Amino acid sequence: MSFANLLTRIPGGVAQGIIWGIMSLGVYITFRVLKESDLTVDGSFTTGGAVAVMMITSGINPIISLIVAFIAGILTGICTGLIHTKLKIPAILSGILVQFRLYSVNLHIMGMAANISCNPSKFNVLITMRKIPLTIIISLVIAILLIGILYWYFGTEQGSAIRATGNNNKMALAQGININNMKVIGFGLGNGLVALAGGLMAQFQGFADINMGRGAIVIGLAAIIIGEVISEAIFKKGCSFYIRLSAVILGGIIYYLILVVILWLNIDSSDLKLATAIIVMICLAIPNFKKGGTK
């Protein structure tokens, strides 16, 4: 457990943290903006990875593969949104139904194989764990671009309508907003970002796996909560939407660095989910301690 060994692991943790932070932006849209619990995430993350790897191994440009992965994620989110709004099934159950269905869909995308390799020695990839510094730069640029685009989009008429739908359904409806359409768009956009992150992660690790999205929703929530705790501590009087989005990326990085430290301490990797639950619990409790909510 030498300190030098920990330092060598940190850059890789930062790279993965940024990718998970991008995924968490998608979770943020449904969980915080729409205020809906969407469990499609675990499936759409894998969908993005599967689509990206299959396209890359077919000789298609890795950037184009990410765009297609993003579109595939949008479609999964739209499915959840339509089931929720048209069939009147609660959002959390709609997400579960689509997530289960995506397991079979993802297998078909990968040619019924549970694992598909996109070895950077054989295929052209955008990022890879073999070039961590370059991967950090590229991932960070993508994250900054996405934050800028989301900040602009949620300032448009449609984006404001989505935010209004999440803030107060009845008030939005009274203003003539089609809240069902806004929910479908929100679910689609959120899962599109999740799938985009899945495509990035598959390229980074060099393969897509049918179970690569398992637990993604928990990681996303952890990143959001950590980011919110940090932003509230720094900006006590409130902060802009742009800062809140940036804090989600920071939360993803911090979350993964915590996992790096846990693994460095030689804690059994099977206990990572337990560690994640404890991290989320602590972050949720901190604001209550500040407000005296535990009295």
Side-chain angles (χ1 to χ4, degrees), residues 259 262-275:
L259 293 189
I262 291 173
L263 290 174
W264 173 69
L265 293 172
N266 289 330
I267 295 176
D268 195 324
S269 60
S270 61
D271 292 330
L272 287 180
K273 292 188 183 297
L274 173 62

Side-chain angles (χ1 to χ4, degrees), residues 25 142-152 241-243 245-247 249:
L25 287 176
I142 293 174
I144 293 172
L145 286 174
L146 288 174
I147 290 171
I149 292 171
L150 289 174
Y151 180 71
W152 165 80
F241 188 63
Y242 186 88
I243 296 298
L245 291 175
S246 301
I249 301 294

Side-chain angles (χ1 to χ4, degrees), residues 23 29 46 75 95 98 112 117 128 157 172 176 178 183 186 228 240 250 259 270:
M23 185 275 298
I29 291 173
T46 305
L75 294 177
V98 175
M112 302 309 293
S117 172
T128 171
E157 183 177 349
N178 189 322
K183 286 182 178 181
E228 287 178 342
S240 69
L250 180 60
L259 293 189
S270 61

Side-chain angles (χ1 to χ4, degrees), residues 3-19 128-137 139 204 252-253 256-257 260-261:
F3 188 69
N5 181 263
L6 174 62
L7 293 178
T8 59
R9 296 185 181 190
I10 288 178
V14 171
Q16 293 185 73
I18 296 172
I19 296 173
T128 171
M129 63 174 60
R130 298 181 184 181
K131 298 178 181 178
I132 294 296
L134 181 60
T135 292
I136 291 175
I137 293 172
S139 300
F204 175 77
I253 296 173
Y256 223 88
L257 288 179
V260 167
V261 173

Side-chain angles (χ1 to χ4, degrees), residues 161 163-179:
R163 295 174 71 177
T165 298
N167 285 332
N168 191 319
N169 275 344
K170 293 182 179 179
M171 182 64 71
L173 192 60
Q175 294 296 319
I177 297 173
N178 189 322
I179 60 173

Side-chain angles (χ1 to χ4, degrees), residues 271-294:
D271 292 330
L272 287 180
K273 292 188 183 297
L274 173 62
T276 297
I278 294 174
I279 293 169
V280 174
M281 181 182 66
I282 292 173
C283 290
L284 282 171
I286 288 175
N288 294 328
F289 280 108
K290 287 184 177 180
K291 297 175 183 177
T294 56

Side-chain angles (χ1 to χ4, degrees), residues 1-294:
M1 292 198 305
S2 66
F3 188 69
N5 181 263
L6 174 62
L7 293 178
T8 59
R9 296 185 181 190
I10 288 178
V14 171
Q16 293 185 73
I18 296 172
I19 296 173
W20 284 115
I22 293 173
M23 185 275 298
S24 301
L25 287 176
V27 178
Y28 185 87
I29 291 173
T30 53
F31 185 67
R32 283 293 188 237
V33 178
L34 278 179
K35 294 180 173 59
E36 297 279 8
S37 300
D38 180 22
L39 297 185
T40 315
V41 173
D42 287 17
S44 57
F45 186 83
T46 305
T47 300
V51 169
V53 168
M54 293 305 291
M55 294 188 70
I56 289 172
T57 54
S58 298
I60 298 175
N61 185 283
I63 296 178
I64 295 177
S65 74
L66 288 176
I67 295 174
V68 177
F70 175 70
I71 295 172
I74 289 177
L75 294 177
T76 66
I78 289 176
C79 286
T80 300
L82 290 175
I83 292 173
H84 171 51
T85 58
K86 300 301 181 182
L87 301 183
K88 307 302 180 184
I89 297 175
I92 190 168
L93 292 179
S94 299
I96 292 173
L97 290 172
V98 175
Q99 180 194 138
F100 281 154
R101 183 171 62 182
L102 284 176
Y103 185 89
S104 297
V105 172
N106 292 335
L107 277 176
H108 281 287
I109 291 174
M110 294 193 294
M112 302 309 293
N115 186 291
I116 297 291
S117 172
C118 60
N119 191 323
S121 298
K122 299 180 180 179
F123 304 103
N124 183 26
V125 296
L126 185 63
I127 60 175
T128 171
M129 63 174 60
R130 298 181 184 181
K131 298 178 181 178
I132 294 296
L134 181 60
T135 292
I136 291 175
I137 293 172
I138 293 175
S139 300
L140 198 56
V141 168
I142 293 174
I144 293 172
L145 286 174
L146 288 174
I147 290 171
I149 292 171
L150 289 174
Y151 180 71
W152 165 80
Y153 174 72
F154 281 107
T156 64
E157 183 177 349
Q158 187 178 85
S160 297
I162 294 174
R163 295 174 71 177
T165 298
N167 285 332
N168 191 319
N169 275 344
K170 293 182 179 179
M171 182 64 71
L173 192 60
Q175 294 296 319
I177 297 173
N178 189 322
I179 60 173
N180 285 342
N181 285 351
M182 294 306 105
K183 286 182 178 181
V184 172
I185 293 172
F187 277 109
L189 180 58
N191 282 281
L193 290 173
V194 170
L196 174 64
L200 286 169
M201 182 58 73
Q203 292 185 48
F204 175 77
Q205 63 190 13
F207 64 91
D209 187 87
I210 193 63
N211 293 313
M212 65 183 288
R214 182 173 295 176
I217 183 64
V218 178
I219 297 174
L221 293 177
I224 291 170
I225 294 167
I226 292 172
E228 287 178 342
V229 169
I230 293 173
S231 61
E232 289 174 5
I234 298 175
F235 304 96
K236 299 184 183 298
K237 296 183 179 180
C239 58
S240 69
F241 188 63
Y242 186 88
I243 296 298
R244 291 201 293 272
L245 291 175
S246 301
V248 173
I249 301 294
L250 180 60
I253 296 173
I254 292 176
Y255 166 80
Y256 223 88
L257 288 179
I258 292 173
L259 293 189
V260 167
V261 173
I262 291 173
L263 290 174
W264 173 69
L265 293 172
N266 289 330
I267 295 176
D268 195 324
S269 60
S270 61
D271 292 330
L272 287 180
K273 292 188 183 297
L274 173 62
T276 297
I278 294 174
I279 293 169
V280 174
M281 181 182 66
I282 292 173
C283 290
L284 282 171
I286 288 175
N288 294 328
F289 280 108
K290 287 184 177 180
K291 297 175 183 177
T294 56

